[in-house]
Amino acid sequence: MILAIYSALLALVLILGAPWWLLRMATSGRYRAGLAGRLGRIPDELRSAVAGRRTIWLHAVSVGEVVAATELIREMRKALPGWVIAVSTTTETGQKLARERLGGESPVFYLPLDFAVLVRRYLKTLGPELLVLMESELWPNLMQECANEGIPIAVINARVSDRSFPRYRRLRALWKPLLKHVSLFLAQSEETATRLVEIGAPEERVRTSGNLKYDIKAAGESAMTALLREKIPAGAKVLVAGSTLDGEEKMLLEAWTKVLEVTPEAVLILAPRRTERFDIVAGLVEAAGFDVVRASKLQPGEVSLGQEGVILLDTIGDLASVYSLGTAAFVGGSLVPMGGHNPLEPARFGVPIIMGESWENFREIVVSMQAAKAVRIVAAPDLANAVTDLLMNENGAKEMGQRGQAVFTAQAGATRRTLDALVGLLGRLHRG
C-alpha cells in the first residue's frame, strides 16, 4: 500500500510538473538527454553488453559519485574477471563523465524513473546478480522489485546527511520494510551507521567502511590542466573556485576585485557546478568588469594568458585535476545554503582550502579537516581577506595544504574494504 501511494504521488508530481519539464527541455536542453532510457527504452548497446554475461548493476547519481566509484569499479573488474559492471547515472554530467572514464569497459545508461513497470524492464535485461547503490540513492520501487526477483542489494559509501536524517526518521514506516531488503550497508562513518539503524536498517547488516572519496586517485593530469598550466603566467598565484552555485559567483567576483588590489598577479579559475550555467556565469564575469577566458576555446601554442581576465572552466570532468594548479582553492556550494561540495579533491594535491559556512553535506570530512586546521571556514564578507591571506602567505598556505593532504592520506583504504565486502557478499550468496 505504501509503495502504491509513493508511485501515485510520483506520477502526480510528473504530470503536474510536465509543463515546467517541457519548457526546460525546450529552452535549456536540460532533462532531454537520456529521456527515452528514463522512460523504459533499453539502449541497444546495453542489451548487447550484458547478453549472456554475469552482471552487477551499480548506480552512481552524478559526477561526485562517479568519481568516487571509478577506482572501485576498476578493482571489481580485476576481482571478478568476465563480469560486467553496468553503471547508471541520473544526471547528464554524471553520464558524460561515466562514459569518459568507464564507457570502454562498462556499459553506461540512465537510471529509469522509479516506476515498477520501468524498473522491471531493466532488471529483465540486465539480470543482475547484485544491485549496488551509492551513498543515499534509495529508490523504493527499484529496491522492492529487486527483492521480488531475489536480487541482493548493497548500499555502499552510505551517508545520511544532517538535512535528510529528520525526513528519513519521520518516514521510518516507509523505509524500514524497504531497508530490510538490503543485504549490506557500508557506511562512510560511525555516525551514518548509527543513523541507518535508527531509520530501520537491520543492525547486523550495517558496517563502517570509510569514505570512498578519500581514495580518489588522479587519473593523470588532464589535457585541459596541462593546457592551462601552459597558459597561466609562471609564478602567478591561482585561486581555483570549484563547483560554484547560483549566487556564489557574484560574491567571488566582488571579493576578487579586492584581492587584485593587493596581489594583481593573481589568476582566478571559476568552475560552475552545472553546465547549463556556463553562459550565465560568463555574463556575470563580464558584468563585474573582467574579460572572460573560456577554457573550452583555448588552443595549444597560443600566447600565455594575461591577468586581466577570469578563466571560466566550461568543461566536464576536468575540475578534479585542475585543482592541482591552485595556490588556494574555494569549494563551492558553501556560501549559499546548499550544504557544500567535496573538499577532498583539492586536499589530495596539498592545496589549502576555503569554504563558506554551509558544509553539512560533507560534515564528517570538514570536521576532520577542521581538527587538523586544514580548512578555513569564512562568511562572504571575509572571503576577500581569506583568499588574499592564502595567496600572499606562502609558507602558511603550504603548511595548511600539507595538513589537508595528510588528512586525505590517513583516511585511505575504503576502496579495498568495500571491494572485499562486496566480493565476500557474492561468495556468501552463492554458497547459500
Side-chain angles (χ1 to χ4, degrees), residues 6 10-11 14 21 34-40 57 90 110-120 122 139 141-142:
Y6 160 77
L10 181 59
L14 291 174
W21 300 111
L35 182 60
R38 298 179 203 268
L39 294 175
W57 177 357
T90 301
Y110 281 97
L111 182 76
L113 295 176
D114 195 38
F115 292 103
V117 63
L118 305 183
V119 169
R120 282 196 292 268
Y122 275 84
W139 293 97
N141 278 319
L142 175 58

Side-chain angles (χ1 to χ4, degrees), residues 9-53:
L9 290 174
L10 181 59
L12 183 63
V13 168
L14 291 174
I15 292 169
L16 294 179
W20 184 85
W21 300 111
L22 292 170
L23 179 64
R24 290 300 303 272
M25 279 189 251
T27 57
S28 70
R30 195 178 180 193
Y31 309 115
R32 190 183 304 163
L35 182 60
R38 298 179 203 268
L39 294 175
R41 184 182 182 278
I42 312 295
D44 291 338
E45 60 269 23
L46 178 60
R47 289 183 186 276
S48 60
V50 301
R53 300 180 66 185

Side-chain angles (χ1 to χ4, degrees), residues 256-309:
W256 193 243
T257 301
K258 299 175 184 177
V259 171
L260 292 179
E261 293 174 0
V262 180
T263 174
E265 75 281 8
V267 172
L268 173 62
I269 300 176
L270 190 55
R273 177 74 172 179
R274 304 193 183 283
T275 57
E276 66 269 18
R277 297 191 61 247
F278 288 161
D279 291 339
I280 295 170
V281 175
L284 292 173
V285 173
E286 291 178 334
F290 299 102
D291 293 334
V292 180
V293 180
R294 299 191 73 138
S296 62
K297 303 297 183 183
L298 293 176
Q299 296 295 326
E302 295 177 352
V303 296
S304 296
L305 302 172
Q307 271 98 9
E308 67 277 1

